[in-house]
Amino acid sequence: MTEETKTGTPQPAPALSVVGPGDGETIVLGTTRMRVLEDGSHTGHRLAIAESVLAPHTAGPPQHRHAGHDEGFYVLAGTIRFTVGDEDHDATAGTLVVVPPGTPHTFANPTDHPAVMLSTFTPDLYVQYFRDLQDVLTAGRPLTAEANIDAMSRYATVPATDAVVPATGAAESTTDAA
C-alpha cells in the first residue's frame, strides 16, 4: 500500500536523477579514479553506481567478503582480473561479474592498458567506504592494508583470511580500494 493510498494525499513522484559526462562525485584512491554516479540518495539507498578507471598494473584491495551487500562489476574497457577465492577470472569489455554477500573477492588491472568498470552496490552503503579511504589520503596518512581493513569493518566487510593470495599481488596492495 502506498502512502497516497493510506492517506489519500498525493505524494510527490521520485526525483529523476541524470548524471552527465564529467558529472558526479570524484574519488581518487592511488591509481584508481572513481566517479560516483549514484550514491543512493535518489534510490532510497537501495542502489549505488560508480565508474572506476584503473591505471595499468593497478592492484586491488585485500581479498574480502561483504556480509550486507551485493556488488556488481561491468567491464567497459580493458581487462580486469577478478580473483574469487583461489580462482582468477580475466574479464574483458562486455563482461558482467556479480559478487553476492559472503563471496571472497578482489580485483586488479594486471595489464599495460587502463581498464574501466561500472560498479553497483546494493544497498548503497559501500560508497561511504570509498569516501573514508579518500579521507585517509586527504589527511596525509598512507593507505595501508590496516587502514583499508579498518574502513571495510565499518561496512560489514572483512578480509577473506582463508582465501589464497592471488598471483597478481592484488591482496597486498594498499593504494587501491574495493
Side-chain angles (χ1 to χ4, degrees), residues 2-165:
T2 67
E3 191 63 30
E4 183 173 339
T5 306
K6 284 192 245 178
T7 64
T9 306
Q11 299 297 308
L16 176 69
S17 174
V18 177
V19 180
D23 293 342
E25 173 187 1
T26 299
I27 298 174
V28 178
L29 301 170
T31 57
T32 298
R33 183 177 187 274
M34 174 181 277
R35 184 167 66 114
V36 178
L37 304 170
E38 171 56 53
D39 67 357
S41 60
H42 296 96
T43 65
H45 301 283
R46 294 179 307 276
L47 170 68
I49 303 170
E51 173 190 69
S52 296
V53 179
L54 284 70
H57 304 286
T58 295
Q63 195 162 165
H64 57 280
R65 291 183 170 90
H66 305 291
H69 73 274
D70 296 273
E71 229 173 354
F73 304 92
Y74 184 73
V75 180
L76 297 168
T79 300
I80 297 178
R81 175 166 295 151
F82 290 90
T83 302
V84 180
D86 61 356
E87 294 182 26
D88 288 335
H89 304 272
D90 285 346
T92 56
T95 302
L96 174 67
V97 175
V98 177
V99 181
T103 303
H105 66 286
T106 189
F107 58 85
N109 176 3
T111 74
D112 294 331
H113 305 283
V116 183
M117 67 180 171
L118 191 68
S119 301
T120 60
F121 313 98
T122 54
D124 71 329
L125 64 100
Y126 215 58
V127 170
Q128 189 59 45
Y129 159 77
F130 300 108
R131 291 173 176 148
D132 289 357
L133 292 182
Q134 182 172 253
D135 290 346
V136 169
L137 293 171
T138 301
R141 297 188 314 267
L143 191 53
T144 63
E146 293 77 21
N148 199 322
I149 291 166
D150 177 59
M152 284 180 178
S153 72
R154 292 190 289 274
Y155 304 99
T157 300
V158 296
T161 55
D162 59 338
V164 174
V165 174

